[in-house]
Amino acid sequence: MATKDNNSAPAPDAWRPGLEVSGIVTRLVALALEEDLATGDITTDPIVPPDRKGEAVIKAKEDLLVAGMDMVRIVFDAVDPEIRIDVLTPDGARARPGDTMARLSGRLRPLLWGERTALNFLQRLCGIATHTHAHVQEANGLDVKLVDTRKTTPGWRLLEKYAVRVGGASNHRMGLFDGVLIKDNHIVAAGGIAQAVALARKGAPHMVRIEVEAASMDEVQEALDAKADVIMLDNMNPDQISQAVQLIAGKALVEVSGGIKKETIRTMARTGVDILSCGALTHGARAVDISMKITV
């Protein structure tokens, strides 16, 4: 594990250097290469002899927080396992405009085949990490946890939630399979909060917390009466949130969701809540500017 400098993101709960390579990730890379290469590269192949070798550099073109360097390895390993990659800025490190993030060497054809796919992954994940880190900075010194949501790009959830952790925030549930969150539609379907909590508690593993979404003080009280472990205050203003925190009085964890922006994080955090969930960490991030240049 590389030592982080003072400009790196703070290490969040469960942050680990390096992306866990799973079947989902390798299938996603295969799909990305298939959609780009299909039957071959009709530009590169006639121009570059098959055995010609060279080097390439990946450079940052703006300030960014690095996340996803493992995806560069996975992509180029898929097109040519003999390509050598030397990472100079590991995940969690800062890169400035002009910084060399990685050096690559090997056959030029595979380097060109994998260039755009590797950069697409890297630019997106660095973008999320950079965007997340800016949000985390707003909560500095406040006793609150910033978490993401399930508002992720289909197929990219493992990657995007990893980038969120690199950026210094934490993950909410990964999917429908690992966390109970009773929302408005579940409440309607069950016939009320009490019924929904009772059914969820009966069916869920005993180690899993039961979280309930509440959009009013009446629903907060119902969730308390049902002994929910976590109460999510949905789209409430700061005054309403403060009132709800007083009502809950430590009997459950308090999460705030809906419209959380970088500009509102400190205001929301000062209400005394435990968790701020922010879908914008993933869906509001842009891809940052990174380039790859061949040097022969």
Side-chain angles (χ1 to χ4, degrees), residues 159-182:
L159 302 181
E160 293 183 350
K161 281 181 172 279
Y162 168 74
V164 164
R165 296 198 304 276
V166 175
S170 299
N171 296 147
H172 205 279
R173 57 180 179 166
M174 187 62 67
L176 297 176
F177 59 89
D178 67 339
V180 174
L181 175 48
I182 299 171

Side-chain angles (χ1 to χ4, degrees), residues 220-248:
V220 169
Q221 186 61 60
E222 289 180 55
L224 278 173
D225 292 342
K227 294 183 170 51
D229 302 302
V230 187
I231 299 175
M232 175 189 284
L233 308 177
D234 183 46
N235 284 299
M236 291 189 182
N237 62 45
D239 289 340
Q240 292 171 317
I241 294 169
S242 296
Q243 182 183 349
V245 168
Q246 291 180 14
L247 178 61
I248 295 167

Side-chain angles (χ1 to χ4, degrees), residues 62-82:
E62 62 178 287
D63 287 326
L64 58 88
L65 185 64
V66 181
M69 294 303 298
D70 283 337
M71 295 305 295
V72 176
R73 295 185 185 278
I74 296 168
V75 168
F76 283 109
D77 188 59
V79 294
D80 184 354
E82 294 185 3

Side-chain angles (χ1 to χ4, degrees), residues 11 40 80 87 91-92 107 169 195 208 210:
D80 184 354
V87 173
D91 287 6
R107 292 190 300 132
Q195 296 91 322
V208 174
I210 305 298

Side-chain angles (χ1 to χ4, degrees), residues 98-279:
D99 284 354
T100 299
M101 301 171 66
R103 298 185 185 276
L104 301 86
S105 59
R107 292 190 300 132
L108 288 179
R109 277 190 179 181
L111 284 173
L112 292 168
W113 293 341
E115 173 188 359
R116 175 41 52 199
T117 298
L119 288 180
N120 282 349
F121 281 113
L122 188 60
Q123 289 176 291
R124 173 68 178 155
L125 297 182
C126 287
I128 291 173
T130 304
H131 183 68
T132 297
H133 185 49
H135 284 66
V136 170
Q137 292 295 94
E138 294 298 317
N140 273 355
L142 299 175
D143 188 18
V144 69
K145 179 178 285 189
L146 185 65
V147 304
D148 56 21
T149 70
R150 287 167 50 240
K151 294 178 181 176
T152 54
T153 307
W156 281 63
R157 183 167 295 169
L158 289 175
L159 302 181
E160 293 183 350
K161 281 181 172 279
Y162 168 74
V164 164
R165 296 198 304 276
V166 175
S170 299
N171 296 147
H172 205 279
R173 57 180 179 166
M174 187 62 67
L176 297 176
F177 59 89
D178 67 339
V180 174
L181 175 48
I182 299 171
K183 297 174 73 69
D184 52 356
N185 287 328
H186 299 109
I187 294 167
V188 171
I193 289 176
Q195 296 91 322
V197 170
L199 291 167
R201 200 176 296 282
K202 182 178 179 180
H206 72 282
M207 295 293 288
V208 174
R209 288 172 170 166
I210 305 298
E211 181 168 4
V212 176
E213 179 184 84
S216 68
M217 291 304 135
D218 287 343
E219 290 185 347
V220 169
Q221 186 61 60
E222 289 180 55
L224 278 173
D225 292 342
K227 294 183 170 51
D229 302 302
V230 187
I231 299 175
M232 175 189 284
L233 308 177
D234 183 46
N235 284 299
M236 291 189 182
N237 62 45
D239 289 340
Q240 292 171 317
I241 294 169
S242 296
Q243 182 183 349
V245 168
Q246 291 180 14
L247 178 61
I248 295 167
K251 299 182 183 70
L253 289 174
V254 184
E255 177 177 343
V256 171
S257 178
I260 302 297
K261 302 175 182 178
K262 187 173 71 169
E263 298 77 16
T264 63
I265 285 175
R266 293 195 74 81
T267 299
M268 294 297 193
R270 288 189 177 116
T271 60
V273 300
D274 302 293
I275 304 162
L276 298 176
S277 56
C278 180

